Amino acid sequence: MAADKPNVVLLYADDLGYGDVSCYGAKTISTPHIDKLAAEGLRFTDGHCAAATCTPSRFAMLTGEYAFRQKGTGILPGDAKMIIPPGRATLASVFKGTGYQTGVVGKWHLGLGDGAMDWNGSIQPGPLEIGFNHCFIMAATGDRVPCVFVKDHQIEGLDPADPIQVSYKQPFSGEPTGKANPELLKMHPSHGHDMALINGISRIGYMKGGKAALWKDEDMADTFTSQAVKFIEASKDGPFFLYFAAHDPHVPRVPHPRFVGKSGMGPRGDAILQFDDSVGTILAALDRLGLKDNTLVLLSSDNGPVVDDGYQDQAVEKLGKHKPAGPLRGGKYSAFEGGTRVPFIVRWPAKVKPGVSSALVCQVDFPASFAALTGQPTPPAAVDSQNILPALLGTDMTGRTQLVEQGGPVSLRDGNWKFIPASPGAAKNKNTNSETGNAPDPQLYDLSQDLGESQNLAKTRQDRVKAMSSALEKALLRPGK
């Protein structure tokens, strides 16, 4: 296989914060497999997802378009129709267009079907309609129904005699719920999450039937990881692109018994160890098959961290001195840096020298960058995607000059400057006890001197506020308008 067409493996965590792994400074927890990946590759200190929540960041990463440009790209229910139209160019179709085998394993959360879903029939459109050859996914998240896996166009393991029904409007008669049957719960909700009761955990939304197909949360990480390894083994003659979308450490955090209690930080810490183990298993498969040198591995997260995200799982009580966002302010749901600045590591032994990069890079740039890697033009629909391939490969230490960050309010990075416009709304998310970034006045931070965004310079640097406000307004317009 030619060195200019490497295999590409994207290891994507869910709610993993900048400070949640030891190679980014965590002391309470150790993530040896991620650390090894970083030591052998390029670790970015200013790498971003495009949004501070899951659906919009995944949409932007796959399409190369900021999610705020399209309606209906907020956090989706589990029965939402697919929000990327069939046939649209995506990161997957970029690879497929030059002969790559393409697979997605894990959390999808971009909708399935056309709005009139029969879960017992052929489930499409889905990943196979936007460039993937193979998929083994969950429709949304672990805390949303339906609690089953979808392989290609079918629910995996479904018994036709026990059809599935899903509703986000009303419960099914005779089916237990977390709200009505708390005595059946092994994990209790802290806010919301009190509807369908599956595997002793109540979820968002209602479902009935499909008993043989229901997942067991404790086995989910192993199931996804083994499917990822199977895809690599089947595609080893390459080239291939694997999007491994782990569920960890998203709620509900129900790690396999071999990780329970190992972190000392409760289920959230244990789930981070489980993600690290998944990473190690996939990297070991590349080693075993002799694929390491010419495989570009990219590890990142869909958004920043959250501690209490809906279940009483001791994440707050056992946090101790651990700071999930490290030195950053904010986290999931936030316009501050902790919302979108996440772990971001690239390893490609044949091409990338190990080190640390401060280049400003973002997942929205993957379609343009990997199109360049495979000798193709950027897809026209990827309007926000820039070719930052030199930064990803370590030959450019600047990356982007500007970046829009979609948190609570939409903010702008310009070099080391960060601007958050005045925005109505609560300054704190009451349920999660996390900052949103909303404030009645503009906020301006010099991240080169104030990484934690503690000194608002808006009043003393009104020239910079005016310039960045104008630049943000321009950036929010669709390019070319």
Side-chain angles (χ1 to χ4, degrees):
M1 180 173 43
D4 59 350
K5 285 181 94 172
N7 305 309
V8 177
V9 175
L10 174 56
L11 304 172
Y12 209 57
D14 195 341
D15 296 353
L16 187 73
Y18 188 91
D20 272 332
V21 292
S22 38
C23 61
Y24 278 87
K27 304 289 189 223
T28 311
I29 198 165
S30 176
T31 50
H33 300 294
I34 298 173
D35 293 0
K36 183 173 185 287
L37 186 72
E40 295 175 345
L42 195 59
R43 181 174 66 84
F44 289 83
T45 57
D46 205 357
H48 292 256
C49 51
T53 48
C54 44
T55 297
S57 65
R58 292 161 195 266
F59 175 89
M61 181 181 71
L62 287 177
T63 65
E65 178 182 22
Y66 290 133
F68 56 75
R69 301 201 192 284
Q70 179 173 310
K71 288 182 179 178
T73 55
I75 301 173
L76 295 178
D79 63 349
K81 70 177 183 178
M82 196 162 90
I83 58 174
I84 301 176
R88 175 171 179 160
T90 63
L91 179 59
S93 68
V94 162
F95 284 111
K96 190 176 181 181
T98 57
Y100 278 67
Q101 280 294 307
T102 54
V104 55
V105 173
K107 173 179 165 177
W108 183 239
H109 212 183
L110 292 164
L112 292 168
D114 59 6
M117 175 66 78
D118 175 9
W119 291 98
N120 306 286
S122 183
I123 297 170
Q124 56 181 304
L128 304 192
E129 282 64 54
I130 57 165
F132 288 101
N133 296 111
H134 170 76
C135 76
F136 187 97
I137 57 171
M138 59 163 66
T141 58
D143 58 344
R144 287 171 174 81
V145 301
C147 299
V148 294
F149 299 126
V150 177
K151 182 177 181 181
D152 297 335
H153 287 141
Q154 307 289 332
I155 288 179
E156 177 81 344
L158 181 65
D159 179 357
D162 183 23
I164 284 180
Q165 295 181 62
V166 174
S167 172
Y168 274 73
K169 294 177 180 175
Q170 58 206 21
F172 294 100
S173 178
E175 294 294 316
T177 66
K179 187 172 185 179
N181 307 96
E183 74 282 356
L184 300 179
L185 294 172
K186 63 184 181 187
M187 177 183 284
H188 291 259
S190 57
H191 49 88
H193 300 88
D194 61 357
M195 302 176 191
L197 204 162
I198 310 292
N199 190 28
I201 303 162
S202 47
R203 324 276 170 157
I204 299 170
Y206 304 99
M207 71 174 287
K208 69 176 294 187
K211 294 289 189 286
L214 295 175
W215 68 52
K216 185 178 179 186
D217 301 76
E218 291 86 346
D219 295 334
M220 183 182 290
D222 286 344
T223 299
F224 285 153
T225 303
S226 67
Q227 288 289 329
V229 171
K230 281 181 184 176
F231 174 80
I232 292 171
E233 290 172 341
S235 311
K236 65 182 186 299
D237 294 332
F240 64 82
F241 166 59
L242 170 64
Y243 169 32
F244 175 72
H247 186 253
D248 293 322
H250 193 281
V251 296
R253 300 158 184 147
V254 194
H256 189 275
R258 69 182 185 278
F259 299 104
V260 172
K262 292 298 195 304
S263 70
M265 291 167 52
R268 183 174 188 275
D270 297 344
I272 292 172
L273 297 184
Q274 183 168 257
F275 174 66
D276 184 67
D277 182 77
S278 294
V279 169
T281 301
I282 292 170
L283 295 181
L286 296 174
D287 291 348
R288 171 169 53 84
L289 296 168
L291 301 174
K292 176 178 178 177
D293 282 353
N294 202 37
T295 297
L296 189 158
V297 177
L298 206 160
L299 182 143
S300 198
S301 178
D302 69 339
N303 49 248
V306 61
V307 185
D308 177 356
D309 207 20
Y311 292 93
Q312 299 175 40
D313 61 3
Q314 296 186 294
V316 175
E317 297 90 328
K318 293 193 172 185
L319 194 61
K321 294 181 179 179
H322 179 68
K323 295 182 177 179
L328 307 176
R329 185 176 179 182
K332 187 177 183 180
Y333 312 114
S334 175
F336 294 116
E337 284 292 282
T340 63
R341 194 186 294 212
V342 289
F344 200 115
I345 299 165
V346 174
R347 186 192 78 178
W348 183 10
K351 284 282 181 79
V352 175
K353 292 180 180 176
V356 179
S357 174
S358 60
L360 178 60
V361 293
C362 183
Q363 296 165 13
V364 74
D365 297 321
F366 289 174
S369 302
F370 286 108
L373 179 71
T374 54
Q376 303 173 81
T378 298
V383 292
D384 298 301
S385 198
Q386 297 180 11
N387 176 14
I388 58 164
L389 184 62
L392 295 179
L393 301 185
T395 59
D396 166 39
M397 291 296 164
T398 302
R400 275 179 164 264
T401 54
Q402 288 189 340
L403 175 68
V404 178
E405 299 176 11
Q406 182 181 350
V410 176
S411 58
L412 181 72
R413 281 286 305 279
D414 186 350
N416 280 314
W417 289 97
K418 170 75 173 281
F419 171 68
I420 307 175
S423 178
K428 269 204 164 181
N429 183 321
K430 186 174 67 174
N431 285 336
T432 59
N433 192 33
S434 55
E435 292 188 286
T436 61
N438 290 319
D441 299 308
Q443 299 174 70
L444 178 71
Y445 301 101
D446 179 0
L447 300 178
S448 68
Q449 306 295 319
D450 177 26
L451 188 58
E453 296 172 280
S454 61
Q455 302 292 320
N456 185 1
L457 304 177
K459 288 184 178 176
T460 57
R461 292 297 309 271
Q462 292 189 8
D463 58 329
R464 170 61 66 173
V465 168
K466 187 175 180 182
M468 290 190 70
S469 178
S470 176
L472 178 59
E473 285 182 22
K474 185 177 179 183
L476 293 180
L477 295 173
R478 192 175 179 86
K481 292 293 174 84

